[in-house]
Amino acid sequence: MSFLQDPSFFTMGMWSIGAGALGAAALALFLANTDMFLPKSRRATLEYLEDIDLKTLEKEPRTFKAKELWEKNGAVIMAVRRPGCFLCREEAADLSSLKPKLDELGVPLYAVVKEQIRTEVKDFQPYFKGEIFLDEKKKFYGPQKRKMVFMGFVRLGVWYNFFRAWNGGFSGNLEGEGFILGGVFVVGPGKQ
């Protein structure tokens, strides 16, 4: 009798394939939920940030250097991943809850977006209580942009944040570029 005719050969082979697939899935889940293999991003220094060109969102946009945002009083600046993202809207609402205290301290609250698609920024404004500016070249997102592509869908923290924001009543859409991650800068006046 050859090994191909032995039924235990197929049972053991299937068991080995199943265990291997389960092990590979567990390893992939583990690696997706650690930052072990994510590229280390370079920090955006003040020298880097201050020379970035930003635009106002008025009918007659004005271009200015980013350092104007914090030069006199400092600033809290949200680099928005995507205005339609419901996680970004939740973060904007959380930051906006600090606005009365920031106003009391004389520190402005700003947001920077990387694109202006249809009514996205206008739809974002109810969640964000500060002024919003446009960075068309996406430089405010760092000298080395942090990206989260499909790996984000298997990260447990991302799913936790999705459910938290969804249960908090936040909604959004999938309009625009969403792979480049945002962040928050707290900058003191001058060179702080």
Side-chain angles (χ1 to χ4, degrees):
M1 178 159 93
S2 78
F3 71 92
L4 292 175
Q5 295 173 330
D6 184 6
S8 66
F9 172 77
F10 289 107
T11 305
M12 288 175 33
M14 294 303 264
W15 176 254
S16 297
I17 291 171
L22 186 61
L27 179 63
L29 189 62
F30 169 75
L31 292 176
N33 285 283
T34 65
D35 294 337
M36 197 178 314
F37 295 106
L38 290 179
K40 303 294 180 223
S41 61
R42 291 188 353 231
R43 290 186 183 266
T45 64
L46 278 179
E47 290 76 25
Y48 173 83
L49 292 172
E50 65 188 8
D51 286 327
I52 294 172
D53 289 326
L54 298 178
K55 284 186 178 179
T56 60
L57 297 176
E58 303 157 346
K59 287 185 181 187
E60 299 286 325
R62 177 179 76 88
T63 301
F64 64 96
K65 295 294 181 188
K67 68 180 172 184
E68 287 183 33
L69 296 179
W70 64 81
E71 208 165 30
K72 293 178 183 162
N73 297 319
V76 175
I77 308 164
M78 178 183 183
V80 181
R81 181 175 71 94
R82 204 170 44 74
C85 165
F86 69 101
L87 293 175
C88 298
R89 290 176 174 185
E90 179 193 37
E91 182 69 24
D94 286 347
L95 279 174
S96 292
S97 72
L98 301 174
K99 186 148 174 43
K101 184 68 174 168
L102 292 171
D103 287 346
E104 192 178 295
L105 297 169
V107 177
L109 177 63
Y110 299 121
V112 173
V113 295
K114 57 186 174 236
E115 58 192 356
Q116 190 175 8
I117 299 173
R118 292 188 292 281
T119 62
E120 287 297 295
V121 175
K122 182 180 173 219
D123 296 342
F124 181 72
Q125 286 176 324
Y127 303 97
F128 190 77
K129 303 300 180 208
E131 248 183 296
I132 303 173
F133 303 99
L134 178 64
D135 173 15
E136 292 176 314
K137 295 180 182 171
K138 301 178 180 96
K139 289 188 159 214
F140 214 83
Y141 295 82
Q144 178 185 351
K145 289 157 188 61
R146 298 174 313 119
K147 293 184 178 185
M148 179 77 66
V149 190
F150 301 108
M151 194 65 85
F153 291 110
V154 292
R155 290 183 74 105
L156 299 176
V158 171
W159 283 99
Y160 173 78
N161 291 337
F162 280 169
F163 288 118
R164 185 194 65 237
W166 192 263
N167 288 333
F170 292 92
S171 62
N173 59 52
L174 298 174
E175 300 283 328
E177 194 284 322
F179 295 123
I180 298 173
L181 299 176
V184 175
F185 295 94
V186 178
V187 187
K191 295 276 189 185
Q192 296 183 52

